[in-house]
Amino acid sequence: MDITIALSHYGAGVKQLSYKHNKTIMANLQILIDNIRMALAHSEFINPDVIRGYASEYAAECVKLNDRVKQCVPFLHSGNLAEAVRLAEAPPNIVETYTLLDFEGRNDWVEIVDNLGFDVPPPLPTEQFTQLNDAYVQIAPLDNLLKQHRYHALNGSPLQEKLSILRKIAKADPKNFFWSEDQEKWEKVRLVAFGKEVQQAVSSKNDYQIMVLYNELIDPNWRIAPPPQYRTALCTAVLQGYAEMLLNHFNTFDYDRTLNTHQQMQSICQTNGMAMPQPLEMQIRPVIQWLQETTQQNNAESSFQNACEELRGALDDDETLQRKLENLFYALQNAATQAGQNIPPDLIQHYELRVSSLEQKTTMR
């Protein structure tokens, strides 16, 4: 498994120092293990005092590893896997240390030092190490979010930015209740400032800030719902801005933009479970009426064009019966009336010639 060695929750400079520190520790430990392996291979030629020194040093390293792992266990059991991994990555890195200490021939080494009466190392924390490895696997998808979380914490980012990342972490790691607890604490603090910002943005008619606050308001991941008065004030201000755009598009008879803006206003009301404020409804009523009439007219014209195409297709098909042609022509007449359009003369002529031809064939038969 590829595991980051440096302590990513500290600054870049501290990370580099931590990496160097860990690298030095691992290099020294690797030398010790190499010496032990050499002693195992040539025990009859090695001075017992040298073996005693290796045994004492190796046993001390095993004790330190067990102590380090014990620090991680409470966090593993409580579900705070991120904190357990953070502790494990502090120099000396637990994963790397365990890998070196669990060398091939360890059991032989323990037997030799025990027979010689030297320091016997304690058993390695295999079960807890397995749990720690599992924590690495589970937290791997959160790695990028955790890095962002630490970055914002170190750089003093605005609370709303830190809260946005924390919500994503809590959603991605639902079993860890520490995230949800922190989220609720931060939301309580954020809501105090949020109310003041809403009041200031609305009173100053700062459209940009109103939209920023509105997007924050409708975030579905709030654990503590913002007070209703914040929602009412923001939604009303947002709708007022859209109403002004609506009237501008209407004044230029831009149907598509007018329709799109009105649909966005309806979506805002639906998302927030509110009706259009009465003053705004009165203000945009003429626009809505124009939209309805224009939509009806557009639909009627579309139906007329479709009816024309359907009749042309039937006339070009030699297998079409006279009854079907008559029905299609009747439907086209109705569509033309609804749309206030005239049927193209060439289409009428084509229809009449085809029907006349069919009648002649019927008469001959």
Side-chain angles (χ1 to χ4, degrees):
M1 180 185 300
D2 182 18
I3 301 169
T4 302
I5 295 175
L7 276 172
S8 57
H9 66 295
Y10 292 133
V14 178
K15 283 174 142 184
Q16 187 64 23
L17 290 174
S18 298
Y19 174 80
K20 291 181 179 179
H21 184 205
N22 185 78
K23 189 174 181 180
T24 301
I25 295 174
M26 291 301 108
N28 292 334
L29 186 56
Q30 182 66 61
I31 293 173
L32 172 63
I33 300 303
D34 291 341
N35 289 335
I36 290 174
R37 284 173 172 163
M38 181 68 69
L40 281 172
H42 308 283
S43 57
E44 66 274 16
F45 303 111
I46 301 295
N47 188 315
D49 289 336
V50 174
I51 295 179
R52 186 197 304 273
Y54 293 161
S56 177
E57 191 175 349
Y58 179 78
E61 291 295 337
C62 291
V63 170
K64 287 191 289 185
L65 175 65
N66 277 276
D67 291 340
R68 288 284 311 284
V69 172
K70 286 179 182 178
Q71 295 175 7
C72 301
V73 169
F75 298 102
L76 291 172
H77 290 171
S78 64
N80 193 351
L81 305 184
E83 182 62 18
V85 170
R86 186 189 71 81
L87 290 173
E89 291 183 344
N93 184 287
I94 286 180
V95 174
E96 295 183 26
T97 303
Y98 184 98
T99 302
L100 287 175
L101 294 179
D102 189 27
F103 64 93
E104 186 179 354
R106 183 180 191 275
N107 292 336
D108 296 335
W109 174 255
V110 173
E111 184 178 350
I112 288 175
V113 297
D114 188 24
N115 291 335
L116 292 174
F118 298 155
D119 291 339
V120 177
L124 294 177
T126 303
E127 182 179 352
Q128 293 87 347
F129 180 75
T130 300
Q131 295 175 4
L132 191 58
N133 263 336
D134 292 341
Y136 270 102
V137 173
Q138 294 181 47
I139 207 171
L142 298 173
D143 186 55
N144 186 48
L145 288 174
L146 290 173
K147 287 179 181 178
Q148 295 182 55
H149 180 58
R150 293 162 187 161
Y151 171 82
H152 287 301
L154 284 168
N155 289 275
S157 300
L159 180 56
Q160 54 267 42
E161 293 184 19
K162 295 189 289 187
L163 188 54
S164 175
I165 299 299
L166 182 59
R167 285 174 176 147
K168 293 178 181 178
I169 295 174
K171 187 175 181 180
D173 188 17
K175 294 182 179 179
N176 190 344
F177 64 89
F178 289 98
W179 301 127
S180 56
E181 286 183 351
D182 285 347
Q183 181 180 337
E184 290 185 6
K185 293 176 184 178
W186 287 15
E187 285 185 353
K188 289 178 181 177
V189 176
R190 173 60 189 145
L191 282 173
V192 174
F194 188 78
K196 296 178 182 178
E197 292 175 17
V198 169
Q199 184 178 5
Q200 182 178 2
V202 171
S203 60
S204 62
K205 296 183 179 180
N206 187 332
D207 293 336
Y208 173 78
Q209 188 63 18
I210 287 172
M211 288 305 304
V212 170
L213 292 170
Y214 175 75
N215 289 330
E216 184 179 357
L217 171 77
I218 61 175
D219 188 323
N221 296 311
W222 281 91
R223 295 185 66 85
I224 301 175
Q229 61 268 28
Y230 297 173
R231 186 175 299 275
T232 300
L234 272 178
C235 290
T236 301
V238 172
L239 288 170
Q240 181 62 56
Y242 273 104
E244 293 174 3
M245 285 193 294
L246 187 78
L247 292 171
N248 289 335
H249 296 324
F250 170 65
N251 289 335
T252 59
F253 299 103
D254 190 330
Y255 171 78
D256 291 335
R257 290 186 178 181
T258 305
L259 179 62
N260 181 60
T261 303
H262 181 240
Q263 289 174 342
Q264 292 184 56
M265 295 178 71
Q266 290 178 312
S267 177
I268 291 171
C269 292
Q270 183 177 1
T271 299
N272 294 278
M274 61 181 291
M276 189 74 66
Q278 189 66 27
L280 285 181
E281 186 179 3
M282 295 292 294
Q283 184 180 4
I284 66 174
R285 183 171 294 178
V287 183
I288 306 307
Q289 184 176 354
W290 175 76
L291 277 176
Q292 292 174 344
E293 294 174 352
T294 306
T295 300
Q296 291 176 356
Q297 180 63 29
N298 290 345
N299 291 339
E301 292 179 358
S302 178
S303 297
F304 170 71
Q305 295 298 331
N306 291 336
C308 288
E309 293 303 317
E310 190 172 4
L311 180 58
R312 288 186 190 277
L315 290 172
D316 292 336
D317 184 358
D318 294 336
E319 302 298 325
T320 306
L321 300 177
Q322 181 177 345
R323 176 62 61 85
K324 182 177 180 180
L325 291 174
E326 291 173 347
N327 290 338
L328 289 175
F329 187 76
Y330 177 74
L332 176 57
Q333 288 178 316
N334 288 335
T337 301
Q338 294 293 328
Q341 298 286 343
N342 295 319
I343 302 175
D346 67 304
L347 183 57
I348 296 176
Q349 183 179 12
H350 190 180
Y351 167 74
E352 291 176 345
L353 289 173
R354 179 67 185 281
V355 171
S356 176
S357 175
L358 290 173
E359 288 177 345
Q360 290 178 7
K361 289 180 181 180
T362 301
T363 301
M364 291 176 64
R365 284 197 298 270

